[in-house]
Amino acid sequence: MSISKKNVVVIGSGFAGLSAATHLAHAGYQVTLLEKNDTPGGRARQFESEGFVFDMGPSWYWMPDVFETYFGYFGKKVSDYYDLKRLSPSYTVVFGENDFMEIPANLEEFKGLLESLEPGVGPKLDEFLKQAAYKYKVGIEDLVYKPSRSLTEFTSPKLLIDVVRMDVFQSMSKHVRKFFKHEKIIRLMEFPVLFLGGTADNIPALYSLMNYADIALGTWYPMGGMFKIVEGMISLAEEKGVKFRLGAEVDHINVTNGIARNVVLKNGEKIETDILVAGADYHHVESVLLAPEYRNYDANYWDKRVMAPSSLLFYLGVDKKIENVTHHCLFFDEQMGPHADAIYTHPRWPERPLFYLSAASKTDPSVAPEGMENLVILIPLAPDLEDGEEVREKYYHMVMDRLEKLTGQEIRSHVIYKRSYAHSDFKADYHAFKGNAYGLANTLLQTAILKPSLKNKKVKNLYYTGQLTVPGPGVPPSLISGHVVAREVVKENKL
Ligand SMILES: Cc1cc2nc3c(=O)[nH]c(=O)nc-3n(C[C@H](O)[C@H](O)[C@H](O)COP(=O)(O)OP(=O)(O)OC[C@H]3O[C@@H](n4cnc5c(N)ncnc54)[C@H](O)[C@@H]3O)c2cc1C
């Protein structure tokens, strides 16, 4: 299709929508971005209360090269927009009382730590990382940039050989056990795939590339918070001419003769467009904004998807400094199996959940008043659970009991600000399918061409981007998703 006009409407100001809008404006299109909320950033929004500044969603900055590539594409650098610090230690794993493991940022120190647990493991780690580095290189430089619209994209002889080398058909769990025996090392190596919305049993070993990201590339933090990435992206988007409309919720998309002609906002305003890129949750766009005859997938399809977890979060302001925690702490003092069962197999509130604690004020004094601490607690949960006040409180006290006991101090009585956030908030704020926090799990059957397609098959000028389509969940993949869809738009809608 070749069209003379060049208006693009992008729905959603998450990382994917921002990335798509900026790439398209850079390519010469007139881009308007519509966001339902009054603040931009989607799941990465930030809020401030009583001197505490909370990042609402992502807190781990991994794969710094992807961000550098993003800004580099426009002739910019990350350092033009924010001040990035590498964390050391990268994070802490709490295995039990007096059983804390700080993960060194330095590779040799990391190897030393593993050797102290499993003597002789050094060369195995080297080999594991060598394979992970290869997967990272092929994965991030090539595979994730494929629009995955046809199998033929994956049939080059080199890629077929790579698919074998890249362990697409083996689980992470089996892969890790080929190299390591010590239970703690196994848990350490299996943890990064949690970011992909699955467990080591159902995520392909291709994703040991995440271990390379973790161990070799490191854990970083933009001073001022993860929202600095959003601010940087907005500033670049505006420089390219993207027009932002906040508080502009799309109510429906009007399609005639297989072409999306306009979107209608909740207030009745109609916005004409030549091309539409939907960066809101895919399921919402398909099942609410589009009439049934134009949908790629039906309700049955969506019900069969393996969603990444939802979460119960607590944003806490504490009126003193907390001991024995670092910026990122993973509380693995309970078994993963029963918690995973409660997320994926028999969805329910878990009996003894694992949880994650972020204490950004350990690195960044700007996110809490002096002498105080900014804490965010995250408990991963099955999507679509009832999340009333009573159950939230129950889990607040359950994790607080453990946090206080394991770190040896009173915290609850020092909490001067508290806000909880769970399924119903994800639904209300982002139209999240089943209240998911980070999209669709990257299982083998939901990878590449098996993901919801980035193009609508019945509406010629409607494209999708974001964590429910290719390449998957997470901040770096969402940036890439915006780039990939913009390339498809440019290819099919020449100016
Ligand atoms: C609690 C949490 C922790 C996470 N931790 C990490 C982490 O540490 N590291 C990491 O890399 N990733 C993390 N992630 C994942 C990462 O944040 C997401 O993958 C990414 O932000 C998704 O971006 P997106 O653009 O696809 O979607 P979103 O950010 O959800 O953007 C979609 C936007 O569309 C808007 N919208 C919806 N409906 C409409 C409508 N009808 N009209 C107009 N606008 C609409 C929404 O308001 C939203 O702003 C985390 C996610 C969560 C929730």
Side-chain angles (χ1 to χ4, degrees):
M1 184 173 63
S2 171
I3 53 172
S4 52
K5 291 190 221 151
K6 51 176 182 176
N7 288 320
V8 180
V9 163
V10 175
I11 306 175
S13 69
F15 288 110
L18 287 173
S19 165
T22 309
H23 277 100
L24 288 168
H26 182 68
Y29 297 79
Q30 279 168 19
V31 184
T32 304
L33 189 148
L34 306 173
E35 166 56 52
K36 82 180 264 293
N37 292 318
D38 294 332
T39 51
R43 281 157 164 93
R45 287 181 305 154
Q46 193 174 63
F47 73 93
E48 199 262 331
S49 193
E50 294 169 41
F52 297 96
V53 180
F54 295 101
D55 281 321
M56 294 185 72
S59 55
W60 297 72
Y61 191 108
W62 274 13
M63 307 185 177
D65 51 319
V66 173
F67 298 85
E68 216 50 83
T69 303
Y70 178 77
F71 288 106
Y73 186 85
F74 306 101
K76 308 281 185 184
K77 300 189 292 296
V78 161
S79 58
D80 295 333
Y81 297 97
Y82 48 89
D83 172 20
L84 202 54
K85 277 207 157 38
R86 182 161 182 180
L87 300 184
S88 181
S90 299
Y91 50 95
T92 299
V93 185
V94 178
F95 288 108
E97 223 169 331
N98 301 319
D99 192 1
F100 286 38
M101 190 187 278
E102 286 192 359
I103 306 303
N106 177 285
L107 182 56
E108 284 313 306
E109 285 175 34
F110 179 74
K111 203 181 282 180
L113 173 71
L114 264 52
E115 282 278 356
S116 71
L117 295 169
E118 189 178 321
V121 81
K124 292 185 195 159
L125 175 68
D126 289 339
E127 179 55 28
F128 178 76
L129 281 180
K130 195 172 130 205
Q131 293 184 17
Y134 177 77
K135 292 175 192 173
Y136 189 86
K137 189 171 160 37
V138 179
I140 296 296
E141 283 176 13
D142 188 3
L143 292 182
V144 290
Y145 283 93
K146 293 202 180 293
S148 298
R149 290 172 67 181
S150 150
L151 205 52
T152 55
E153 294 168 34
F154 298 90
T155 50
S156 76
K158 179 182 176 302
L159 210 57
L160 287 176
I161 295 166
D162 277 345
V163 164
V164 177
R165 275 182 80 183
M166 305 237 314
D167 287 324
V168 173
F169 300 109
Q170 189 184 187
S171 74
M172 257 310 273
S173 154
K174 281 215 174 88
H175 181 64
V176 165
R177 282 167 178 77
K178 279 205 293 202
F179 292 86
F180 310 106
K181 290 197 176 58
H182 197 283
E183 190 49 37
K184 283 182 181 166
I185 302 181
I186 289 173
R187 293 195 80 179
L188 211 56
M189 297 300 176
E190 288 185 344
F191 132 74
V193 299
L194 298 180
F195 286 134
L196 305 172
T199 63
D201 290 327
N202 67 7
I203 295 284
L206 159 69
Y207 291 107
S208 73
L209 65 85
M210 295 288 282
N211 298 97
Y212 178 75
D214 171 6
I215 300 162
L217 303 181
T219 303
W220 300 73
Y221 175 79
M223 294 302 283
M226 295 292 279
F227 192 67
K228 287 284 165 204
I229 314 167
V230 174
E231 286 179 344
M233 289 176 73
I234 289 177
S235 146
L236 178 58
E238 284 178 334
E239 199 182 305
K240 297 284 166 198
V242 176
K243 291 195 176 55
F244 283 83
R245 300 255 329 248
L246 300 177
E249 177 168 353
V250 176
D251 182 72
H252 62 275
I253 300 167
N254 280 324
V255 180
T256 31
N257 297 333
I259 301 208
R261 307 285 172 181
N262 54 58
V263 298
V264 180
L265 302 186
K266 280 277 176 212
N267 66 7
E269 187 187 346
K270 197 183 267 184
I271 301 174
E272 304 295 331
T273 190
D274 301 308
I275 298 152
L276 186 57
V277 178
D281 268 37
Y282 202 125
H283 171 268
H284 165 70
V285 177
E286 287 256 304
S287 62
V288 178
L289 305 189
L290 267 185
E293 62 270 30
Y294 297 119
R295 297 173 186 165
N296 272 350
Y297 309 104
D298 60 14
N300 188 32
Y301 170 89
W302 286 109
D303 267 343
K304 290 197 172 122
R305 294 310 91 192
V306 181
M307 299 311 293
S310 185
S311 304
L312 170 59
L313 292 130
F314 295 101
Y315 307 105
L316 305 174
V318 180
D319 72 359
K320 66 164 185 178
K321 282 289 177 196
I322 304 294
E323 310 282 311
N324 303 326
V325 301
T326 60
H327 189 133
H328 296 293
C329 296
L330 299 165
F331 286 81
F332 286 179
D333 52 314
E334 295 289 352
Q335 285 307 308
M336 179 72 197
H339 190 169
D341 181 74
I343 296 176
Y344 297 102
T345 319
H346 302 101
R348 61 182 191 277
W349 283 86
E351 288 74 27
R352 306 166 82 86
L354 281 69
F355 67 96
Y356 157 65
L357 172 84
S358 157
S361 46
K362 288 286 174 207
T363 307
D364 186 352
S366 76
V367 298
E370 203 182 334
M372 302 198 187
E373 216 79 88
N374 171 320
L375 305 183
V376 179
I377 291 173
L378 183 156
I379 309 169
L381 294 169
D384 236 5
L385 298 178
E386 275 300 314
D387 66 345
E389 202 43 44
E390 203 178 315
V391 73
R392 291 185 189 204
E393 271 304 284
K394 177 179 157 191
Y395 277 80
Y396 174 69
H397 290 293
M398 192 190 286
V399 293
M400 273 298 185
D401 285 344
R402 268 161 63 196
L403 184 60
E404 290 184 333
K405 186 156 182 264
L406 291 163
T407 64
Q409 66 210 302
E410 216 179 280
I411 301 175
R412 237 169 312 196
S413 56
H414 292 272
V415 171
I416 56 169
Y417 176 81
K418 177 179 163 205
R419 175 180 173 187
S420 68
Y421 198 93
H423 304 68
S424 48
D425 303 293
F426 283 108
K427 286 182 192 169
D429 286 350
Y430 311 116
H431 293 138
F433 179 47
K434 298 186 176 176
N436 80 80
Y438 34 102
L440 215 58
N442 266 356
T443 59
L444 178 59
L445 294 178
Q446 297 186 160
T447 295
I449 54 161
L450 301 176
K451 273 208 194 295
S453 169
L454 61 63
K455 179 84 198 285
N456 187 295
K457 292 164 190 151
K458 298 160 195 164
V459 183
K460 270 190 197 152
N461 59 344
L462 172 55
Y463 299 80
Y464 302 89
T465 186
Q467 60 177 358
L468 276 90
T469 181
V470 286
V475 179
S478 300
L479 292 186
I480 292 168
S481 181
H483 189 178
V484 172
V485 80
R487 278 202 320 217
E488 292 299 289
V489 169
V490 170
K491 206 162 69 190
E492 296 183 348
N493 304 271
K494 298 263 184 281
L495 282 174

